[in-house]
Structures are given as C-alpha cells and as structure tokens.
Amino acid sequence: MTAMARPGRGGLPNHVLGLYLVIAAELMFFAGLVSALVVARANLTVWIPADQPRLPIPRTAFNTALLLLSGLTMRAARLAARRALTDSRGW
C-alpha cells in the first residue's frame, strides 16, 4: 500500500488541504472586493463625481504602452532563459 491510501485513515493530504485553504481565502478576498464595489456604487449618485479631474490621455496612453512593452520584454527574457537552460552550448 502507498502512504496516500492507508485503510482506516481518512482526510486529505496536507498539500491538498493547503491548496484548498488558499483558494478559499482568495475567493473570500475577491468576494469582499466585489461587495465593497457594489456598496460604493450604490451610494454614488453620479458615477464620476464632478470635482474629479479627468485623466490626461497622452500620459495614460504612454503609461499603458510602457506596461505592455515591459510585459513583452519579460516574455522575451523568459524565452531566452528557457532556451539557455535547454541549450548545451551555453551563450
């Protein structure tokens, strides 16, 4: 018999129980965020308050492009590292 299937001993392995607890905690956190959003939206009369400044479109577009570019460079770095690990010739 294996260590996972002992007769007369019920329950989950520790790693499975830990995974379930992490998933449950994440679900509770997400539910809290969604309920906070619902409460905040229900109390607002106008979606964007009049005294809030508008976002500057050029700066916002630049920041978005910078984030996308950094994601592409991270992907390229991961692919290069993976190739270097599997390549026996090194650099």
Side-chain angles (χ1 to χ4, degrees):
M1 291 206 163
T2 64
M4 298 290 281
R6 292 185 185 147
R9 183 174 180 197
L12 293 172
N14 288 339
H15 64 281
V16 175
L17 179 62
L19 182 65
Y20 286 163
L21 288 175
V22 168
I23 290 173
E26 290 293 324
L27 285 173
M28 292 299 293
F29 180 68
F30 183 72
L33 287 177
V34 169
S35 65
L37 175 71
V38 169
V39 168
R41 292 283 301 261
N43 291 334
L44 285 178
T45 56
V46 179
W47 183 67
I48 299 176
D51 59 343
Q52 292 294 317
R54 299 290 182 237
L55 288 176
I57 299 298
R59 183 181 294 174
T60 306
F62 174 75
N63 288 337
T64 302
L66 194 63
L67 282 172
L68 291 174
L69 184 63
S70 70
L72 289 175
T73 56
M74 284 299 295
R75 178 161 170 76
R78 279 189 66 197
L79 289 174
R82 187 173 292 159
R83 263 188 255 117
L85 287 176
T86 59
D87 190 10
S88 62
R89 291 175 290 158
W91 294 87

